[in-house]
Amino acid sequence: MDTQIRGLHHVTAMTSSAEKNYRFFTDVLGLRMIKKTVNQDDISAYHLYFTDDIGGAGTDMTFFDFQGLPKGQKGTNTIARTGFRVATDASLAYWVERFDRLNVEHGEIKERFGKKYLEFSDFDDQLMQLVSDEHNKGVAAGIPWKNSNVPAEHSIIGLGPTIVVVSNFDHMKLVLKNVLGFEETASDGTMHLFEVGEGGNGATIIVDHREDLPPAMQGFGNVHHLALRVADDEALRFWIKKINELEFPNSGFVDRFYFQSEYFQAAPGVLFELATDGPGFLQDETYEHAGEILSLPPHLQSEREEIEAYVRPFDTSDANTKRQ
């Protein structure tokens, strides 16, 4: 049985506007919205999945749009910045020009742990970064979305190093190394690089040890949880048993239909999920039309009429239209 953590699966964050979020991630970032569904624990909120061309595990950032949620506060004890992969250092220069043209807040191209990166944020001050794969080895990248308006050679091709900020570094290191099997492969000041499995940008968490910041507060513009990849249901059940034995607060087995998972509290303010690579997003929609209408897992199908009347209308009929 293959029980090793394989890398990053997805990052789920919160947005103030599903509509703006959809436009930013498809029109600006050039990712595909492969699934429009609802939060399975709160059907009043949309749940949007932005991925590579085929919805591969390790390529998606997802969003909830809880209504009435306040703006999140930055600080420590949080999943602070989501990373995305691009193919080369030259791609970062392309994105600087693109962000300037589209009025997207961003920093300068810098280097950390031998990889060049570019920080940026969206309309909610959701913190993200692009990291170059030029000198990367490890987990394979995803496939550029064929309908993107970003040239394929510069497209976002998966999740990259994601930054977790904590006040108790020793605890976070213990969880990553002794529980989940990560290895600390580098450090620089307050930053510590942890890799798992095949390693590389698609299997990296950067832990920033900060005791000088106030605790972060959940809200839109912040991350809800970070999911890690496991091979299949059998591997997931191995991890559920292990997490239970270690007495971490956890959800137990959860069937999300598109994947199966378990959530557990890795540290104060830091929620991790372990999620299976499959069965994937195209089991209830075709590749050609995924994301165009509200998709519901089987256990919610009987409530479709109620759910569609409850959530406000949100037009994504152009989800598979070539972006200009």
Side-chain angles (χ1 to χ4, degrees):
M1 178 172 58
D2 176 11
T3 60
Q4 185 174 58
I5 302 293
R6 294 181 160 194
L8 307 176
H9 189 284
H10 67 267
V11 173
T12 294
M14 294 162 287
T15 180
S16 65
S17 169
E19 293 85 352
K20 289 182 180 179
N21 182 243
Y22 172 56
R23 288 297 161 201
F24 184 83
F25 270 76
T26 61
D27 296 351
V28 176
L29 296 188
L31 288 169
R32 180 181 192 183
M33 194 190 75
I34 204 162
K35 188 65 60 181
K36 177 175 74 171
T37 185
V38 293
N39 181 316
Q40 294 182 27
D41 302 317
D42 179 359
I43 60 170
S44 69
Y46 279 110
H47 193 178
L48 309 181
Y49 289 80
F50 301 97
T51 71
D52 73 346
D53 190 62
I54 59 172
T59 71
D60 46 324
M61 186 169 188
T62 89
F63 284 86
F64 301 137
D65 74 330
F66 298 116
Q67 298 305 293
L69 193 69
K71 182 173 174 56
Q73 301 299 311
K74 311 302 183 187
T76 194
N77 298 329
T78 189
I79 299 159
R81 188 180 294 272
T82 303
F84 295 103
R85 300 165 67 176
V86 293
T88 64
D89 294 352
S91 297
L92 297 178
Y94 164 85
W95 281 96
V96 167
E97 185 278 330
R98 183 175 178 85
F99 286 158
D100 284 342
R101 177 163 44 85
L102 298 175
N103 297 313
V104 175
E105 291 288 331
H106 68 87
E108 299 176 351
I109 297 173
K110 297 180 181 179
E111 185 171 319
R112 181 192 294 128
F113 301 126
K115 310 279 181 65
K116 292 192 181 298
Y117 69 97
L118 174 67
E119 295 180 342
F120 68 100
S121 58
D122 72 358
F123 55 91
D124 281 333
D125 195 29
Q126 183 75 236
L127 304 181
M128 294 169 276
Q129 63 181 358
L130 300 172
V131 180
S132 170
D133 266 3
E134 182 140 327
H135 302 291
N136 185 61
K137 296 179 181 178
V139 172
I143 302 168
W145 181 34
K146 73 174 185 180
N147 286 323
S148 175
N149 55 13
V150 177
E153 66 269 24
H154 299 314
S155 290
I156 291 172
I157 47 177
L159 290 178
T162 293
I163 298 175
V164 178
V165 181
V166 296
S167 58
N168 186 339
F169 173 71
D170 289 341
H171 172 80
M172 195 72 250
K173 180 176 180 178
L174 187 70
V175 172
L176 289 174
K177 187 172 182 178
N178 291 24
V179 177
L180 298 175
F182 281 74
E183 291 294 333
E184 184 175 1
T185 56
S187 63
D188 183 8
T190 63
M191 297 281 197
H192 303 261
L193 184 74
F194 288 86
E195 299 179 74
V196 73
E198 296 179 56
N201 285 336
T204 292
I205 292 175
I206 296 173
V207 178
D208 188 8
H209 181 202
R210 298 294 298 272
E211 299 179 22
D212 58 326
L213 300 174
M217 300 293 290
Q218 283 282 31
F220 69 81
N222 281 14
V223 169
H224 186 273
H225 65 268
L226 167 64
L228 303 172
R229 294 173 54 201
V230 298
D232 51 27
D233 187 80
E234 188 178 17
L236 176 63
R237 292 189 184 279
F238 164 87
W239 283 102
I240 290 173
K241 183 175 183 292
K242 184 171 184 175
I243 295 298
N244 277 327
E245 289 173 348
L246 293 170
E247 298 184 348
F248 283 92
N250 70 87
S251 66
F253 180 86
V254 178
D255 186 355
R256 295 301 191 200
F257 182 59
Y258 309 111
F259 51 86
Q260 287 74 48
S261 69
E262 177 193 37
Y263 302 82
F264 74 98
Q265 200 72 40
V270 179
L271 182 63
F272 281 176
E273 179 182 9
L274 301 170
T276 60
D277 277 356
F281 299 111
L282 297 179
Q283 56 182 328
D284 61 346
E285 293 185 288
T286 65
Y287 170 87
E288 291 76 15
H289 295 288
E292 294 175 5
I293 63 171
L294 182 67
S295 180
L296 296 175
H299 74 276
L300 291 178
Q301 285 293 350
S302 63
E303 302 174 50
R304 175 173 287 276
E305 186 175 347
E306 174 191 349
I307 291 171
E308 289 183 338
Y310 195 66
V311 296
R312 68 195 186 288
F314 171 31
D315 183 14
T316 57
S317 58
D318 68 344
N320 294 290
T321 301
K322 178 72 175 178
R323 294 309 194 251
Q324 301 300 318

